[in-house]
Structure formats: C-alpha cells, structure tokens
Amino acid sequence: MERIKLTSSEWNVLGCLWERSPQTVMQLVSELERTVGWHRSTTITTLHRMEAKGLVRGEQAGRGRAYVPLVDREQAVVAETRNFLDRVYRGSVGMMMSAMARRQELSGDEIAELRAILDQAEKGGGE
C-alpha cells in the first residue's frame, strides 16, 4: 500500500469533504474561510493541486464543480500516525506513551480508555 502523506492544507480540505461530500467549490471556500481564514484563491489553488495528486476528484455540478475525497479517512489517520511515530519516537508506541505518562499528560479517563483498547487488542479483536 502506498504511504499517504498529507500537508496541513490537504488535511483541512479533506476534513471538510469527509464531513460532507460532495461539496461545491463555493461551499468549500465558505467553510475554509470560516474555519481557517483562507481566501477564495487559496482554496481553489489547493483543490487543483489535490486533484492533480489524486487526493480529490472534481466533477461538473451545474455551472461549477463539486469535489469528493479519494482518500479514506481511516487510512489517512493510520498513515499520519505511523509517520508521526516514525519521525518523533522511532516507531515506538511504548516510547510515546512513556513520555506522556512521565509528564502526566494522560487523564484517568484516557488511561482507562487505553487499557480497554489494549485489552481488546490482546483478545485479537482490534476495535
């Protein structure tokens, strides 16, 4: 499987499209202006680049274009998590959790959630 590496801008656009798809250019312009302060030209340029990279597909919709994501959200999240772990913690989940636990970055609820996830993984059930 090809590794997915998204820029922050691509995450912004895909986040909108994962929430609701298809969306017209003007819907995306409006949403991205509201959420991240982008100008119309930034959104349009980003969409064209993403289409060229095969991350989104634009389709004719009336007089404009509507976009759909071509990247699965879960695959992107898993790839981004793996990239982060490789880059920052040499691929070690244990090293990351140890660093967070030592700095008391985990709440009691988060620790309980992690225990439940690990118990499920140990049973072979994934999620």
Side-chain angles (χ1 to χ4, degrees), residues 108-121:
D109 287 345
E110 289 169 325
I111 291 169
E113 183 179 359
L114 285 170
R115 278 195 181 108
I117 291 167
L118 293 172
D119 288 345
Q120 187 67 30

Side-chain angles (χ1 to χ4, degrees), residues 30-92:
S30 176
E31 179 66 13
L32 291 164
E33 180 180 27
R34 185 182 65 76
T35 58
V36 292
W38 283 5
H39 294 285
R40 181 178 183 274
S41 60
T42 304
T43 299
I44 292 169
T45 299
T46 303
L47 284 167
H48 288 304
R49 288 180 181 157
M50 290 177 72
E51 193 168 16
K53 289 174 71 175
L55 300 173
V56 299
R57 183 178 65 240
E59 301 167 340
Q60 205 57 37
R63 292 177 24 177
R65 289 179 71 72
Y67 286 86
V68 297
L70 296 179
V71 175
D72 177 73
R73 176 183 245 157
E74 186 171 337
Q75 282 181 316
V77 167
V78 168
E80 182 71 15
T81 302
R82 176 52 54 200
N83 289 335
F84 171 77
L85 280 172
D86 289 347
R87 191 175 64 253
V88 178
Y89 293 102
R90 296 188 314 245
S92 172

Side-chain angles (χ1 to χ4, degrees), residues 3-15 18 50 53-56 71-73 75-77 79-80 83 87:
R3 267 204 140 152
I4 300 168
K5 284 188 99 172
L6 301 173
T7 67
S8 294
S9 296
E10 292 164 350
W11 276 102
N12 288 328
V13 172
L14 286 170
W18 287 325
M50 290 177 72
K53 289 174 71 175
L55 300 173
V56 299
V71 175
D72 177 73
R73 176 183 245 157
Q75 282 181 316
V77 167
E80 182 71 15
N83 289 335
R87 191 175 64 253

